[in-house]
Amino acid sequence: EAGVAQSPRYKIIEKRQSVAFWCNPISGHATLYWYQQILGQGPKLLIQFQNNGVVDDSQLPKDRFSAERLKGVDSTLKIQPAKLEDSAVYLCASSLATGHSNTEAFFGQGTRLTVV
Amino acid sequence: AQSVSQHNHHVILSEAASLELGCNYSYGGTVNLFWYVQYPGQHLQLLLKYFSGDPLVKGIKGFEAEFIKSKFSFNLRKPSVQWSDTAEYFCAASYSSASKIIFGSGTRLSIRP
């Protein structure tokens, strides 16, 4: 089966600019996650969707980050304006998980963002 | 707060040595546990998972992990490592079905040929 697709793979922007990342999850996966992975650290959850509803966005810096999952499939994550500390790899993952089942998350290749 | 701790930041072993990477999780309720691996230049891949049942879980590439509830631990083991096991290893946990997956800080494993 096709995996989680993310684009772009790499992005370099200047601080205060905006940037958007796109994710296409595995077909049929209800749950979609966006993680931020700073160099040398583990992935940190930014936002979790189940279908097109937000389950958890407690660690999303809402003053600059936004995400949406239209029609419960693809998702976009936006940063506006970007700061130097936003330099990281942004990972998208999806899973079959619903409120009544457990399953693992499958990850995309990630988008490496460099803010200069 | 729910958290996952990995004790070793960087482990260096020779080929054929045995491996054990530590992982502890917080919270005493129902937990789902995972080990993910990230090979250089590749995406995160699942090594193994524990949801319930036999606490000794076998995964891909000869890895296994043991869930010890009394110790809140889920250590990863492999009896004999290979150079190709060089990678970053992440322990992760979720605390109910469909809840967020929380990752540890990762352990970088380097294997000397």
Side-chain angles (χ1 to χ4, degrees):
Chain A
E1 65 181 6
V4 176
Q6 288 188 248
S7 67
R9 286 293 309 278
Y10 305 93
K11 190 75 178 178
I12 301 174
I13 63 172
E14 295 182 349
K15 58 184 179 184
R16 290 188 289 275
Q17 285 187 324
S18 63
V19 65
F21 312 126
W22 173 83
C23 173
N24 179 233
I26 293 172
S27 178
H29 279 196
T31 298
L32 185 146
Y33 311 83
W34 282 103
Y35 284 86
Q36 180 193 58
Q37 187 175 17
I38 292 172
L39 188 65
Q41 299 180 20
K44 183 186 86 171
L45 182 71
L46 292 175
I47 189 166
Q48 177 184 348
F49 293 94
Q50 188 168 319
N51 297 309
N52 59 350
V54 174
V55 173
D56 189 321
D57 63 357
S58 56
Q59 297 196 84
L60 187 74
K62 298 180 186 64
D63 57 334
R64 298 184 302 105
F65 286 64
S66 64
E68 60 182 10
R69 190 183 185 195
L70 298 175
K71 301 180 182 178
V73 182
D74 292 5
S75 177
T76 55
L77 175 69
K78 296 179 182 177
I79 307 175
Q80 182 179 14
K83 294 184 175 181
L84 295 177
E85 59 261 36
D86 297 332
S87 294
V89 176
Y90 290 85
L91 299 168
C92 180
S94 69
S95 78
L96 282 166
T98 66
H100 304 287
S101 67
N102 297 307
T103 186
E104 67 269 29
F106 296 82
F107 283 80
Q109 295 271 29
T111 296
R112 182 178 298 278
L113 173 68
T114 302
V115 182
V116 298
Chain B
Q2 297 158 350
S3 64
V4 176
S5 299
Q6 292 184 244
H7 315 300
N8 312 103
H9 184 65
H10 188 193
V11 172
I12 303 173
L13 296 173
S14 298
E15 276 195 309
S18 64
L19 169 72
E20 181 160 3
L21 301 182
C23 172
N24 285 95
Y25 62 93
S26 66
Y27 186 70
T30 301
V31 65
N32 304 312
L33 294 160
F34 311 87
W35 275 98
Y36 281 85
V37 62
Q38 189 168 30
Y39 298 104
Q42 297 188 27
H43 62 282
L44 279 163
Q45 302 170 42
L46 184 72
L47 267 182
L48 47 78
K49 62 189 177 187
Y50 173 80
F51 292 153
S52 64
D54 188 344
L56 184 61
V57 179
K58 295 197 183 297
I60 60 171
K61 304 188 180 186
F63 286 91
E64 65 178 30
E66 185 175 11
F67 170 57
I68 303 180
K69 190 174 181 179
S70 61
K71 295 184 178 180
F72 301 100
S73 72
F74 190 57
N75 292 355
L76 181 71
R77 300 194 292 248
K78 185 171 184 178
S80 176
V81 294
Q82 301 171 306
W83 181 79
S84 58
D85 293 324
T86 296
E88 186 113 26
Y89 292 81
F90 294 94
C91 183
S94 67
Y95 291 87
S96 65
S97 60
S99 75
K100 64 185 178 183
I101 300 175
I102 299 168
F103 282 81
S105 56
T107 296
R108 184 155 63 100
L109 176 64
S110 299
I111 305 297
R112 292 189 290 249

